[in-house]
Amino acid sequence: MNNWKIKVSIFINYFLFAILLNSVGAVILQVQNTYGISESSASVLEAFKDLSIAGVSFLVASFIVRIGYKNSMLIALGIVSITCLMMPFLNQFWMTKLLFASIGTSFALIKVSVYATIGLITKDKNEHISLMNFIESFFMIGVLTGSFVFSAFIDDLNPQSPAWVNVYYLLAGLAAFAFVLLLTSPLDESSIKKESTENTLGGFNEMLRLVIVPVVLVFVASAFIYVLIEQSIMSWLPTFNSKVLHLPASLSIQMASILAASTAIGRFLAGIALRKIKWLFVLLTCVVLAGILVIVALPLAKNLGDEAITGWGNAPIVAFIFPMIGLVIAPIYPAINSVILSSLPNRQHGVMSGLIVIFSALGGTTGSLITGHIFEAYGGESAFYFSLIPLTILIVCLIVFNKLSNSEKVELKSTGGH
């Protein structure tokens, strides 16, 4: 079966949702400017996105097979097409909350479906790993593209201008195109339909049984803390660039793309390093380097002078250096996901993927809310210095996770049997 069309559709889906999900940093900045919203109030947008992801992931992980992977993706694309079109017409803060709730809901359907679909359209383990890495890399390209797409619709001469919401016409068009492409793409789901006899309650029970296993508990704690760190920086970097470094709004969003680019490069380099070096050594080195970068880079945000910043050419050095934290934290998340999934039998990968999405979403919400409140109360530098605390906790979690993952493989595989 020729799967090129469904593969292209999956890539476009991930590209679209990379833009939508990671636009939260740009939108947090813009709702402050356009609607006069405070930092702490704007931070709830992350919660609307991530809590929707967590809630829907918990539900769909158990019965998405009955809906069908293709149907689930079509529903997701239909939802975001409609809400993106609504945004320019209902240009209010409450609409941005509804928008990110719909984005989170749709992404939960997309991610669980995409991860499961990869197994249907690949022939062997090597092709599966290759396609998974390619899709995740394409996601980072979407993140990078989104920074420039959103900045193109911002009026620096009039920060309060609502013209930036016109970007959603473009995104609605891309979602509609992805819908039509997927609708006309063949996907044979007959093999998984035969395995859908387990009831929904049974799926929930298996998820609950799995999460109480010690190694899984430590894993979800590690994933939670990592995403807390990543999203607290990614979501608030445009606001940091604007309010602390005094960059124009459009440039603040553009330069936040350095974080996405460095993250993509970091995952590529880690893919090479992890073939020859033990994962724990690589990840601990990454966490320590991230802490050093925070301590070295943030003091550069002081005493910037009075020169008006007009572009990349005269932007302060800290605007280039601090986002490079993505280079060193990037390998952590894919590596720990790989370790936990390789410790499980294939039949539990779907349930484990649901847990990964749920706790990642909760970590993103927590990180953004904490950072927003610290930003408002103590300033942007203090908000990013806060990352040193979870970075320290993450070191402990990784060490314990490594110990348990080596000692509990056999016990873990016997969990949740029928």
Side-chain angles (χ1 to χ4, degrees):
M1 178 180 174
N2 188 350
N3 294 312
W4 70 267
K5 198 170 183 181
I6 192 69
K7 289 179 181 178
V8 171
S9 182
I10 287 173
F11 288 138
I12 294 175
N13 290 351
Y14 245 49
F15 180 81
L16 169 66
F17 277 91
I19 296 174
L20 290 170
L21 287 166
N22 292 279
S23 69
V24 68
V27 177
I28 282 174
L29 173 60
Q30 287 308 110
V31 296
Q32 293 174 67
N33 293 334
T34 303
Y35 309 134
I37 303 298
S38 68
E39 287 92 344
S40 58
S41 297
S43 69
V44 302
L45 293 180
E46 189 83 51
F48 274 87
K49 171 174 70 75
D50 288 336
L51 294 180
S52 298
I53 294 173
V56 175
S57 295
F58 179 74
L59 295 174
V60 302
S62 295
F63 59 77
I64 196 168
V65 171
R66 298 181 180 183
I67 303 172
Y69 300 143
K70 181 176 175 178
N71 288 338
S72 297
M73 289 187 281
L74 288 171
I75 291 169
L77 292 169
I79 290 172
V80 295
S81 297
I82 294 169
T83 51
C84 282
L85 279 176
M86 290 170 61
M87 184 65 196
F89 293 101
L90 302 172
N91 188 8
Q92 299 290 333
F93 184 50
W94 67 265
M95 183 59 214
T96 63
K97 297 177 184 177
L98 177 61
L99 175 70
F100 279 105
S102 73
I103 290 171
T105 297
S106 301
F107 182 67
L109 293 168
I110 288 286
K111 187 165 186 176
V112 175
S113 298
V114 166
Y115 273 27
T117 299
I118 291 173
L120 298 178
I121 61 177
T122 53
K123 297 187 296 291
D124 52 39
K125 184 177 180 180
N126 289 338
E127 187 181 352
H128 188 287
I129 293 171
S130 175
L131 184 58
M132 178 74 80
N133 280 292
F134 193 23
I135 287 173
E136 291 296 338
S137 298
F138 209 68
F139 187 86
M140 296 313 301
I141 295 173
V143 174
L144 183 64
T145 304
S147 297
F148 292 92
V149 169
F150 268 80
S151 67
F153 286 83
I154 291 172
D155 184 356
D156 288 325
L157 299 178
N158 182 15
Q160 289 77 36
S161 171
W164 61 275
V165 299
N166 291 327
V167 70
Y168 290 104
Y169 288 123
L170 175 63
L171 296 175
L174 180 58
F177 171 74
F179 181 95
V180 173
L181 180 62
L182 178 61
L183 186 64
T184 58
S185 300
L187 177 62
D188 182 5
E189 301 182 53
S190 57
S191 60
I192 54 101
K193 293 294 184 183
K194 296 176 183 178
E195 301 172 5
S196 63
T197 56
E198 181 181 355
N199 62 35
T200 302
L201 182 59
F204 289 151
N205 285 341
E206 184 168 13
M207 186 178 289
L208 294 174
R209 284 196 301 268
L210 193 60
V211 80
I212 62 173
V213 176
V215 67
V216 178
L217 275 174
V218 178
F219 162 74
V220 296
S222 303
F224 176 93
I225 293 168
Y226 169 79
V227 180
L228 183 151
I229 297 166
E230 181 189 64
Q231 286 301 310
S232 66
I233 296 172
M234 186 171 288
S235 296
W236 286 93
L237 189 56
T239 300
F240 177 84
N241 288 343
S242 177
K243 296 195 172 185
V244 177
L245 305 184
H246 309 298
L247 275 59
S250 61
L251 184 62
S252 297
I253 296 169
Q254 286 178 14
M255 296 200 72
S257 67
I258 297 173
L259 180 62
S262 65
T263 301
I265 295 170
R267 287 181 177 165
F268 174 79
L269 295 177
I272 298 172
L274 288 167
R275 293 176 183 173
K276 300 179 179 180
I277 307 173
K278 184 173 173 58
W279 69 266
L280 181 64
F281 177 79
V282 173
L283 300 197
L284 290 180
T285 302
C286 288
V287 176
V288 171
L289 290 175
I292 293 172
L293 186 58
V294 169
I295 294 170
V296 170
L298 288 181
L300 299 176
K302 298 181 180 293
N303 304 318
L304 296 177
D306 299 324
E307 180 186 2
I309 300 168
T310 56
W312 289 70
N314 68 336
I317 189 67
V318 64
F320 294 93
I321 294 178
F322 183 70
M324 296 304 293
I325 195 171
L327 188 69
V328 290
I329 67 172
I332 299 171
Y333 190 65
I336 61 175
N337 286 345
S338 176
V339 171
I340 194 65
L341 287 172
S342 64
S343 300
L344 288 164
N346 289 335
R347 64 180 176 79
Q348 290 182 324
H349 284 196
V351 176
M352 190 68 240
S353 296
L355 288 174
I356 290 171
V357 176
I358 289 167
F359 283 92
S360 299
L362 294 175
T365 294
T366 305
S368 185
L369 288 172
I370 292 173
T371 304
H373 281 83
I374 296 175
F375 204 114
E376 183 175 346
Y378 303 104
E381 293 168 67
S382 297
F384 283 166
Y385 272 125
F386 164 77
S387 63
L388 293 172
I389 297 174
L391 282 169
T392 303
I393 298 172
L394 185 57
I395 290 176
V396 178
C397 287
L398 290 174
I399 293 172
V400 176
F401 178 48
N402 175 65
K403 181 179 179 180
L404 292 176
S405 64
N406 287 331
S407 63
E408 292 193 12
K409 283 188 178 182
V410 175
E411 180 182 350
L412 186 62
K413 288 187 178 183
S414 67
T415 302
H418 299 286

